[in-house]
Every structure is written in C-alpha cells, then in structure tokens.
Amino acid sequence: MINELQMLEKEEMESEDLESGDLVQHPQAVETLFVNEFIDGILDPQQKMLGPVKDGGTIIANTTPGCWGPMLTPTIRGGHEVTKPIFVEGAEVGDAIVIKIKSIQVTSIATASGHDEVIPDRFIGDPFVSVKCPGCGKLHPSTVVKGIGRQAIRCSTCDTETSPFNMTNGYTMVLDHKGNIGVTVGREGARRIALDAKNYMRTPENSVQNPVVALATSDLIGVMARMRPFLGQLGTTPSKAMPDSHNAGDFGSFLIGAPHQYAFTQTELDTHRTDGHMDISRVREGATIICPVKVPGGGVYIGDMHAMQGDGEIAGHTTDVAGIVQLQVSVLKKVALDGPILLPNTEDLPYTAKPFTKEEKRRARELAEEFGVKQVEEVFPVSIVGSGTSLNEATTNAISRAARLFEMSEPEVMNRATITGSIEIGRHPGVVTATFQVPKTVLKKARIYKPVKKQYD
C-alpha cells in the first residue's frame, strides 16, 4: 500500500513538473533534415514546425510544383503547396537566418503553364484562398481528375467542374535535364503527358495537388526555352497566419479587407509578412538569402520551383516543377530585418554592381589621390528585396528598407543604386530588388558583413 502511494505521489509530481515545463522534452536538433511534408496553403505560426535543424545544418527537401497545380486544387487554400516550416535551432525573433542554396535539381519530366483568368462564380473574394463549388456551393471542395482537358477538375461531391481559373493561353513543355532545355509540345504530345500526369510531373507522394499537365494545353507549339531553375518561394514564416502565395506586398494586398478568415489591414500586412514569395529568378543555386525571423525558430519553408523565368514573370505564371533542394542554414543574432536580403551569384549581378577587380581598385586609388581623396571605399554588392501593390511601391519599399538597415538617407540609397547597382524586377506587379555596392564599414555595423564577404570574397 505504501509503495502504491509513493508511486502515485511520484506520478503526480512528474505530472506537475511537466505542466510547469521542467520536464518537457524538446526534440534534439539534427545536422541534416529531410523534408517531404507540405502545408495546405496556409503559413500559420501556431502550427508545429518540422525539425529542429542545427544552426549551420542542412535541409534537403523534395518540393512540389507551385502555382497551377495548387490553383486547380481547392483544398489547398493559399495558391501554393510549400513545405511545412522548419525550426532552426537558436533562431529568435529579431534575428535573421542565412540560407545558402547549395543545389537545385528539377525532377519533373514535363510541366504546363499559361496565362490565367478567374471564373467569378467559383470563389469568395480570392480565387487562391476561398474556392466555392459552383454546383453544390461547398467551400474548399475536394476534387477528382476525370479524364483530361480543361473540364477535368471536378467536385467530388456533385461532379461539377470546379477550378476557379481558366487558362487563356497555355502550353505543355517537356524537359531535357542533360541539355537544360525545354520544348513545348503539340496536341498529341500534351494528351500523352496528360494521361500519365503525375508520373510526368513527378509530384512528391505527400503532395495533394491536381497535376496541371492534366489540362493538356497546347496553344504554343515548338517553343524552345533554356532551363535555369530557381525557387519562387524561399523564406521564413510570417508572424500571423496567411496564405503562402500572399506572403509579399503585391499578392498580400488581396488580403486587405478580404471577405474570408485571412483578412488583414495594411498595417498588419506590413508588420507580419516576410516576403518569402519573391519569384526572383536569381534565387537559384549558389545564391544566398538572409531572411527575417518573426517567429521562434524562423520557420524556413521552400517551394514553387520554376524551370525558367525572365524578369517580371509577366504572364503571371511560369514552368512550375517538382525538384530536390539542398540548403544550408545559419543564424545571425540580433539582425532585425524588415524583409529579405538577396546575395546573387556574381554573374547575376548588374554590371555596375559586380565586385571590382584588383586593377579597377588600383586605378581608382590613383585617381582618388590625384584629387586629394585619401581613401576609396571597400564595398560589396547587396540586393534588398522590396514589395508592394505596384513596381513603384515595391521600389520605394526596397529603398526605405535599405535606408533603415544601413542607416543612410533614402536619397543616398538612390544615388548608390543608380551609379553602383540597379533596380531589378522580380515579379510584376510588385517585387523588386534594389542592388548596390555597400561599404564594408556599413555592412559590419548592420551585422551582415560575414555572409556578404563569404558570398563574394
């Protein structure tokens, strides 16, 4: 009896300790984390993250195709199907996470894309977020793919065609990985691919999206394009739940006053977003991204891989593909950022922003001495990401972010971007980078000198 009482008291004490947090066991951080789990389109800081992965550790992810597949799948509520966010050991609010893209490998054999138009009676407020079946009226209906073609996506409940988007001009493209080339196919080729859609798209087993190649679109035939894959989505979790494709100032503006549960005010959007949805083609193998931490652990997420894209993504969509991504992540303590910083590959920098050669530096010193200038700045290139409802607003956002980070006036940032850099379009209508050469002393004060030097040294 005494032994039983002692055991009960011990269990009660352990229960109290657990409630107080004294005995709570946190998962041990791993050196390498393999990721093949995805969200339903909503980046929610309250949801449990994967990991943790060690500070300095590696993330290897099998990512799903981006826009069109999720857009054809009403149960996905964000327009994309990105990985579950990943907790990075030691990352606290007010820090930053440095993400080095070690490799990007496309696994899809074919894909399809095109310009879209919305179908008004099939959504409430936002066709990416709140889809309604036009037949039974069900919100976020589950769907099945019946046959191929533009009528193939149908409600599981009432068999009504359900996609809220129509592809006004579309194409199906086959990919040659060895030659890094893609070619659009005709009607018979598109039909052949559509009949074996998931195999050609190579969608990961945990993905729930309907494959876009099932539409069998073939408006463009025999168009050749060079492959250079990059990540349209790479960033950290916002501090308020929002649809993944809306985590930027342009798409995010659709949430302002929206008639669904993810409505934001402009102030809330500016406060909580992390601009992880960039669609900047320079976010590719070899590049580095420095991302803000707005929730404990950062919540790194990955997705929306594209096989190729010109600046602007002017059609609204490009060649979404599945792929394997390898990233290395590390924490920068006490580096509070408003949005991401991109450190592109040297070859992707504007001519005026490329690192100076030894000969250029020597000639500059000689010229400076001739006119009494005692010291020439030691500088490195940096690209500050900005977003907004228009390209003008995005540019203003990038310049103001740079001014705050580097403690410069906005006119000084504009001058430096004009003569030592450029304003480059990521996505139309509203994602840009303000790229310019930044003095070493300024980078050190902003606490980002080490990753910048590592990228360009």
Side-chain angles (χ1 to χ4, degrees), residues 42-73:
I42 301 299
L43 289 164
D44 187 349
Q46 301 301 318
Q47 293 298 312
K48 185 178 179 181
M49 297 181 187
L50 300 177
V53 65
K54 287 183 178 179
D55 180 2
T58 297
I59 298 168
I60 299 174
N62 184 187
T63 66
T64 71
C67 301
W68 268 106
M71 286 162 54
L72 299 174
T73 312

Side-chain angles (χ1 to χ4, degrees), residues 236-263:
T236 48
T237 299
S239 46
K240 181 179 177 180
M242 70 168 63
D244 50 12
S245 68
H246 293 41
N247 185 19
D250 53 353
F251 271 66
S253 65
F254 301 154
L255 303 176
I256 297 172
H260 53 69
Q261 69 186 97
Y262 301 107

Side-chain angles (χ1 to χ4, degrees), residues 196-449:
D196 196 11
K198 287 199 172 184
N199 179 49
Y200 275 96
M201 287 295 291
R202 290 291 199 267
T203 48
E205 60 271 17
N206 291 326
S207 170
V208 300
Q209 67 179 258
N210 296 319
V212 62
V213 292
L215 300 184
T217 53
S218 59
D219 296 316
L220 296 178
I221 303 171
V223 176
M224 184 168 61
R226 293 187 181 95
M227 289 176 63
R228 192 163 80 166
F230 70 97
L231 295 169
Q233 288 256 24
L234 179 62
T236 48
T237 299
S239 46
K240 181 179 177 180
M242 70 168 63
D244 50 12
S245 68
H246 293 41
N247 185 19
D250 53 353
F251 271 66
S253 65
F254 301 154
L255 303 176
I256 297 172
H260 53 69
Q261 69 186 97
Y262 301 107
F264 276 64
T265 64
Q266 183 65 60
T267 299
E268 287 175 326
L269 181 64
D270 294 341
T271 299
H272 298 293
R273 76 179 203 254
T274 61
D275 282 9
H277 183 205
M278 295 179 284
D279 282 331
I280 297 172
S281 61
R282 286 160 285 143
V283 181
R284 66 184 185 95
E285 185 173 312
T288 298
I289 308 290
I290 307 175
C291 300
V293 175
K294 294 193 176 183
V295 298
V300 172
Y301 68 93
I302 314 141
D304 196 25
M305 185 187 294
H306 298 157
M308 73 275 294
Q309 180 197 293
D311 280 358
E313 196 183 17
I314 196 63
H317 306 285
T318 185
T319 45
D320 304 304
V321 287
I324 306 294
V325 180
Q326 181 177 339
L327 311 172
Q328 185 175 37
V329 293
S330 55
V331 178
L332 278 181
K333 300 302 292 181
K334 297 181 180 179
V335 177
L337 301 176
D338 295 325
I341 300 170
L342 169 61
L343 307 178
N345 292 312
T346 299
E347 64 191 271
D348 293 344
L349 287 164
Y351 172 76
T352 48
K354 291 183 188 296
F356 293 107
T357 65
K358 288 182 179 180
E359 176 62 13
E360 286 173 324
K361 291 176 182 178
R362 185 186 69 78
R363 297 291 293 270
R365 285 195 298 269
E366 289 178 356
L367 188 60
E369 287 172 6
E370 183 181 344
F371 286 87
V373 178
K374 295 182 179 180
Q375 189 173 359
V376 177
E377 293 177 340
E378 182 177 358
V379 292
F380 294 84
V382 171
S383 293
I384 305 297
V385 177
S387 69
T389 56
S390 68
L391 293 176
N392 285 344
E393 287 193 13
T395 301
T396 298
N397 181 234
I399 290 167
S400 64
R401 283 176 171 178
R404 286 193 296 273
L405 176 64
F406 297 130
E407 297 181 359
M408 297 176 179
S409 69
E410 291 188 7
E412 179 179 348
V413 172
M414 289 186 241
N415 278 334
R416 288 182 179 272
T418 299
I419 63 174
T420 74
S422 186
I423 301 298
E424 298 164 287
I425 301 172
R427 177 180 61 242
H428 188 278
V431 176
V432 306
T433 53
T435 302
F436 57 99
Q437 300 270 17
V438 181
K440 174 181 175 179
T441 53
V442 175
L443 293 172
K444 282 190 168 183
K445 190 173 182 181
R447 297 173 178 262
I448 64 169
Y449 172 65

Side-chain angles (χ1 to χ4, degrees), residues 184-196:
T184 60
V185 301
R187 181 177 179 182
E188 287 307 310
R191 185 176 184 277
R192 170 181 160 189
I193 290 165
L195 290 170
D196 196 11

